[in-house]
Amino acid sequence: GVPVGFGRSSLTAMKYRKNQKLPLPLFLPPLDAEPSKNPIDSDKMLELPSARGSLPAIFDKSLLYKQFNGNDIWTNSSILPYWMKEYFAWHKRQRQEMLTPSKWTEIRYLVMQCNGNHTNCGGTSDRLKPVPALIRFAAATKRLLLIQWERPCKLEEFLLPPKGGLDWRVPDWLSHMILYDGMELGAGSKIRRNENTGVRTMRTYYQSHDGGETWYNEQLQPGEAAYAEIYHAVWETIFTPVPAIASAVKRAMDE
């Protein structure tokens, strides 16, 4: 669907390059993985019950949060895949524990950017439609997903993380340092070609003709809902209009 507050006219054509599948996300390792490919000590493993959007999986206890916070939007979702909920919980903990002036260099990032050096980042829908695909990539490569816009202004002027949702904002103290940190990769195919790089920050203004839907759906596991089915739930987990826009939308819908 079209995000609230943005017209369908902003859904313009986007470039897309089909590429190979990524490995399973770190938060959804295969049950039949060979020990050499999944080196987790047996005393640190446990088996989880199956749920819609995931297979029964074995997780490292250091990555597993057996109970989600009841205040987190994703907790009770019946459509979001379990690996995505695990990623959201991990993201939340990394922000709390590692996204500090003294520790931020110890983790890796995937930053959706549009800064002063970009002459054309596309319209609002062009920029935000790939969010599910970028979440999947960030989870598969264990990167903290952040959004940093400078053109035409900060995204926070229009949208904010909802209470209990995924906080994608770049802290003010980090804004200048991460602006040009690491490697800039525009197209989705470039991101995937560099998936195993050790570079700390991967920056992208990724767009595709279908918002990464085809690639996202190529990664689906048995029982996992497709891109179109989860998009609305992802949007509600990540974005809410700022109060002024929310009020204007409500007035328009009440008329």
Side-chain angles (χ1 to χ4, degrees), residues 108-109 143 181-183 185 194 196-202:
R108 301 192 303 170
Y109 305 86
R143 290 179 177 274
D181 187 54
M183 179 187 301
L185 300 164
N194 289 275
N196 293 319
T197 181
V199 67
R200 177 173 57 215
T201 304
M202 294 176 66

Side-chain angles (χ1 to χ4, degrees), residues 69-90:
N69 187 322
N71 295 323
D72 295 331
I73 292 175
W74 58 81
T75 300
N76 297 316
S77 173
S78 61
I79 195 69
L80 293 176
Y82 197 84
W83 67 260
M84 189 178 289
K85 294 182 180 183
E86 282 289 300
Y87 174 71
F88 290 159
W90 175 85

